Amino acid sequence: MRKIFIYSWPLFLSALVFLSIRVSVKNPGLIEHYYSNGIYPIIAKSISFFSNFIPFSLWDVFWVLIILLIISGLVLVIFKKIKFGWYGLRTLQLLAILYSLFYIMWGYNYFRPKIEKRIGWDNPKDYEMNFRSILDSIIVLTNSNHISISSFDYPLIETLVEDSYHRRSQELGINYPNGTRRPKTMLFSAFYGKLGLSGYFGPFFNEIHVNHYLLPMDYPFILAHEKAHQFGICSEAEANFVAYVICITSNNQRLKYSGYQSLLLYFLRDASQMKEYKEYLDKIDKNVIRDLRFRQKYYQDMQNVTLSKVQSAANNSYLKANNIEKGVKNYNQVVSLVISWYYNSTLNFRKN
């Protein structure tokens, strides 16, 4: 019985996690109350306290070791140093443990209620009219906040983003401080750049990562986006929305410009099929246009088309498997969230 338990407990645990996920999808309120606002903040605070002392990415090192371990085992099987059955069972146990840890340490946040319900928004009326009005405003504000951003500004930007989270946490329904958030550079930034990845959150060690080759103009928005994930916001659209609010409500022009120009791209993507699309483009200041063109060429030159497509397809499947119905299209759903935010902000102003 002892041997059976030793061999089977990882599989039993992963089966329980799988069943709990099926329950979680149908009970987002319970996840919000017991996990997102109860268990996860304790996990985040405990793990980030220790990982914050390590200057490099534990997440990257961890996955390199896992891959090397699996490859080493396969080599030993080929040279008949270990039996294939033993290797297969150990690999299955390892994958079962990793699967379980992912959800226990962060992944259950995928099944919490949508941010509209958490904050208590009313549905905006006349979506198209609001879209046009907000796009015009974003263009004007992007133009007026244009500024050059340098990597030398990063320490200040990190402080300002954190301060903005502190001030906006209640409005955004965020558990602040939720541990600590030390930005770390991806150990394989060049490779991730080829995949088109600008940042990611490592849940096992509660770490946020930013690509070393990220353009400074994108740094405040991407940093705020990854911090949103650390706060338990899994939806990419919601993380984009939170990053936008964090940036544009700051008193610092660097954060404002990064937030406005990032959202401008999402709005223009949705506006590209409108007959007035060129008119909107003509309203954008030439300095901003120059930044956006440089940005497009910079990332296109960095990316490997094949690897980027593979990564996008894998990310699409991953998101859909975790209750994000639109997959990678979820990123652009930030547009509707921003419209709802402006609509409800105006509505609350009128009520008061």
Side-chain angles (χ1 to χ4, degrees):
M1 289 295 294
R2 185 180 176 184
K3 277 190 174 182
I4 292 175
F5 175 76
I6 291 173
Y7 288 139
S8 63
W9 75 263
L11 305 178
F12 180 69
L13 176 62
S14 64
L16 285 178
V17 169
F18 177 80
L19 291 174
S20 70
I21 289 171
R22 305 279 73 77
V23 175
S24 300
V25 171
K26 297 180 180 180
N27 296 277
L30 293 178
I31 292 297
E32 180 71 10
H33 181 74
Y34 291 105
Y35 182 80
S36 299
N37 290 311
I39 297 172
Y40 174 66
I42 297 173
I43 292 173
K45 183 177 181 180
S46 302
I47 298 175
S48 65
F49 174 80
F50 293 103
S51 64
N52 191 52
F53 289 108
I54 310 299
F56 57 86
S57 170
L58 293 171
W59 177 260
D60 284 349
V61 172
F62 175 77
W63 281 108
V64 168
L65 293 176
I66 291 294
I67 293 170
L68 289 177
L69 182 64
I70 292 174
I71 293 174
S72 299
L74 190 58
V75 171
L76 291 175
V77 169
I78 292 172
F79 286 97
K80 298 183 179 180
K81 297 297 182 180
I82 58 175
K83 293 182 179 180
F84 178 77
W86 185 91
Y87 168 76
L89 177 60
R90 291 294 185 271
T91 302
L92 187 60
Q93 288 175 324
L94 176 62
L95 295 176
I97 292 171
L98 294 177
Y99 169 83
S100 302
L101 286 176
F102 171 77
Y103 286 102
I104 292 170
M105 299 177 80
W106 181 70
Y108 279 114
N109 285 307
Y110 273 110
F111 314 112
R112 65 194 304 196
K114 296 182 184 302
I115 194 169
E116 301 98 306
K117 187 171 183 179
R118 298 201 305 268
I119 296 178
W121 284 343
D122 293 326
N123 292 325
K125 298 175 182 178
D126 201 341
Y127 182 92
E128 186 175 340
M129 182 187 73
N130 280 285
F131 176 88
R132 293 170 185 272
S133 174
I134 293 170
L135 175 53
D136 272 326
S137 295
I138 289 177
I139 290 173
V140 170
L141 291 165
T142 305
N143 292 341
S144 63
N145 281 287
H146 180 270
I147 189 174
S148 295
I149 304 175
S150 163
S151 58
F152 293 109
D153 299 321
Y154 286 2
L156 174 62
I157 289 170
E158 290 162 14
T159 300
L160 292 171
V161 167
E162 188 66 24
D163 178 63
S164 191
Y165 264 108
H166 189 192
R167 290 185 292 105
R168 293 286 167 178
S169 58
Q170 186 173 358
E171 175 188 348
L172 296 170
I174 287 172
N175 285 299
Y176 192 91
N178 208 62
T180 53
R181 286 155 296 281
R182 176 179 184 171
K184 296 186 178 183
T185 302
M186 299 173 177
L187 292 184
F188 309 102
S189 286
F191 174 71
Y192 287 125
K194 292 181 184 297
L195 295 175
L197 288 176
S198 53
Y200 58 82
F201 173 70
F204 289 2
F205 302 99
N206 217 251
E207 298 172 306
I208 60 171
H209 301 81
V210 179
N211 196 309
H212 173 73
Y213 296 103
L214 188 71
L215 285 173
M217 73 175 79
D218 294 323
Y219 185 78
F221 183 83
I222 296 300
L223 179 63
H225 175 105
E226 299 308 327
K227 287 195 178 213
H229 285 320
Q230 194 273 343
F231 279 107
I233 298 173
C234 294
S235 162
E236 299 299 340
E238 292 183 13
N240 275 341
F241 163 71
V242 168
Y244 173 71
V245 174
I246 291 300
C247 286
I248 64 117
T249 57
S250 170
N251 293 324
N252 186 271
Q253 192 174 345
R254 295 171 182 83
L255 268 65
K256 286 178 179 289
Y257 180 60
S258 184
Y260 283 124
Q261 67 94 13
S262 295
L263 251 291
L264 177 60
L265 292 170
Y266 286 109
F267 268 82
L268 289 176
R269 195 172 301 165
D270 278 7
S272 61
Q273 303 303 316
M274 298 170 61
K275 63 180 182 179
E276 302 94 342
Y277 179 62
K278 190 177 183 304
E279 294 177 19
Y280 285 119
L281 293 180
D282 290 340
K283 295 177 184 178
I284 303 174
D285 186 82
K286 61 181 181 180
N287 290 321
V288 176
I289 289 290
R290 184 172 60 248
D291 280 355
L292 297 182
R293 285 175 177 169
F294 176 79
R295 181 185 188 278
Q296 182 182 35
K297 186 177 187 308
Y298 177 82
Y299 290 126
Q300 281 181 346
D301 290 345
M302 184 187 302
Q303 286 184 23
N304 178 288
V305 176
T306 302
L307 289 177
S308 183
K309 286 182 178 179
V310 170
Q311 187 278 142
S312 181
N315 192 30
N316 188 57
S317 298
Y318 162 78
L319 291 173
K320 287 185 175 181
N322 284 291
N323 207 37
I324 306 296
E325 297 175 0
K326 295 289 186 180
V328 292
K329 293 180 180 178
N330 177 247
Y331 287 88
N332 223 73
Q333 288 181 295
V334 64
V335 171
S336 62
L337 292 180
V338 169
I339 290 173
S340 292
W341 181 62
Y342 277 112
Y343 174 80
N344 281 274
S345 297
T346 304
L347 197 64
N348 291 332
F349 177 76
R350 288 174 181 171
K351 287 178 181 178
N352 295 330

